[in-house]
Amino acid sequence: MNDRIDSLRRAVEASPDDTTLRELLAEELVREGYVTEALNEFETLLARGQLSDASALWAGHVAVDAERADLAKGFLEAARTAGVVEGLAALQARVDGLVAQRAPMVRADDVPDGPASPWEKEVVSTTFDRVGGLDDVKKAINRAIVLPFSRPDLYERYGRKSGGGILLYGPPGCGKTLLARATAGEC
């Protein structure tokens, strides 16, 4: 361990409720390669509900790198609940990939024979990460369309109805179609 980490640990011990200090300690632990200890600090913040939006997203990526799918899902959910828009789909894709790696393998005998359909092609998903700027619009779309689609339980719990839509207008080339594709990718 280095002196900076030791100092941050002493500060966290002296003030265990200081969220910023604990986040700084976790970030420093990741930088120095102590990933397991950093995830423990992030997990403490998650359990207390004190994890900041940016740290939840970053901690999710760290958890995926450490192959901790359970923890990564928790950080992903915390970021989603906090209303994070940028980077959420990328983390979701990484978590899904990690979970798929751990899924049982399908034997070749279990796959039905038959030609692939001629119209199948590789689909590249566009997300809000690929849309530059337009933060207010992306937040509005996330709140009105993506969240009701991905978390219907929240809307039921609070008695809110999902549905409706958002009207995108503007001259050609301003990003309406890209936003619509990114919305579909987020869903």
Side-chain angles (χ1 to χ4, degrees), residues 6-63:
D6 292 337
S7 296
L8 284 170
R9 278 207 172 123
R10 285 192 299 273
V12 167
E13 287 173 11
S15 181
D17 293 332
D18 191 336
T19 304
T20 306
L21 275 175
R22 195 171 294 274
E23 282 185 358
L24 285 172
L25 173 61
E27 290 171 8
E28 189 63 28
L29 286 167
V30 170
R31 278 191 206 96
E32 293 296 321
Y34 301 105
V35 175
T36 303
E37 295 175 34
L39 286 174
N40 290 338
E41 296 297 332
F42 281 130
E43 191 172 17
T44 300
L45 290 168
L46 179 65
R48 293 179 180 176
Q50 298 174 331
L51 195 60
S52 71
D53 303 353
S55 290
L57 211 53
W58 190 53
H61 285 288
V62 172

Side-chain angles (χ1 to χ4, degrees), residues 107-186:
R107 295 184 331 187
D109 299 340
D110 296 339
V111 178
D113 290 335
S117 116
W119 54 84
E120 283 184 20
K121 65 177 185 174
E122 183 179 344
V123 178
V124 177
S125 181
T126 301
T127 61
F128 286 150
D129 295 341
R130 299 184 70 180
V131 177
L134 303 173
D135 293 331
D136 292 337
V137 176
K138 290 188 283 189
K139 285 182 182 179
I141 291 172
N142 187 51
R143 192 173 25 252
I145 297 170
V146 177
L147 275 177
F149 181 77
S150 63
R151 294 293 310 272
D153 56 316
L154 284 178
Y155 280 73
E156 286 178 25
R157 186 181 315 157
Y158 292 106
R160 302 230 14 217
K161 294 188 184 236
S162 61
I166 293 188
L167 176 64
L168 299 174
Y169 63 92
C174 69
K176 299 179 298 290
T177 303
L178 181 61
L179 273 171
R181 287 183 179 149
T183 301
E186 291 286 334

